[in-house]
């Protein structure tokens, strides 16, 4: 179990129109100018945009893997500890974060397709 930095990057590369911006301690990910995620290599964590209900459900279900990061604009961001999540579940959460930020027509043109066995 766990998602490596290389696996994370491969998943990011599989999403349409993503821009990455490296800052001192983290890398931010956006689609069409809207942020949907952050990666902090030092702590092996990722922050992902989610709905408020999904944020609450994830944190309540597994607080050792997920924690509340912040809420903004009607969305709840979660911190994901990469060593505690399997790749399939993480890939779905990453896609959902991307979909919540992508323009509707882009999201419709790129439905979720699991990468398959890793």
């Amino acid at each position: 179990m766990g998602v490596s930095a290389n696996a994370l990057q491969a998943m990011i590369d599989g999403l349409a129109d993503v821009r990455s911006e490296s800052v001192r301690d983290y890398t931010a990910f956006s689609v069409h100018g809207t942020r949907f995620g952050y990666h902090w290599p030092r702590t092996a964590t990722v922050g992902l945009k989610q709905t408020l209900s999904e944020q609450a459900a994830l944190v309540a279900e597994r607080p050792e893997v997920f924690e509340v990061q912040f809420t903004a604009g009607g969305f709840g961001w979660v911190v994901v500890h990469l060593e505690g999540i399997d790749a399939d579940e993480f890939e779905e959460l990453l896609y959902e974060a991307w979909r919540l930020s992508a323009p509707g027509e882009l999201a419709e043109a790129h439905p979720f397709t699991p990468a398959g066995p890793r």
Side-chain angles (χ1 to χ4, degrees):
M1 182 153 23
V3 175
S4 69
N6 288 340
L8 168 63
Q9 189 58 56
M11 290 177 200
I12 292 289
D13 291 344
L15 298 171
D17 296 343
V18 173
R19 295 198 77 198
S20 299
E21 179 184 352
S22 292
V23 184
R24 195 176 97 186
D25 296 329
Y26 64 90
T27 301
F29 306 106
S30 59
V31 56
H32 285 251
T34 303
R35 293 280 160 94
F36 67 89
Y38 299 88
H39 176 225
W40 294 273
R42 186 180 59 75
T43 58
T45 57
V46 171
L48 293 176
K49 185 181 202 177
Q50 296 294 299
T51 64
L52 290 170
S53 60
E54 185 68 9
Q55 177 198 50
L58 290 168
V59 172
E61 180 182 303
R62 289 186 302 186
E64 71 282 1
V65 177
F66 303 104
E67 59 187 83
V68 172
Q69 185 175 21
F70 62 90
T71 59
F75 295 100
W77 288 70
V78 293
V79 173
V80 182
H81 294 268
L82 293 174
E83 72 279 352
I85 190 167
D86 71 38
D88 292 337
E89 181 182 15
F90 182 78
E91 184 179 33
E92 288 182 45
L93 292 173
L94 179 65
Y95 176 81
E96 182 63 13
W98 174 88
R99 188 191 66 75
L100 290 169
S101 301
E105 60 278 357
L106 182 64
E108 287 177 26
H110 298 277
F112 179 67
T113 349
R118 300 175 205 288

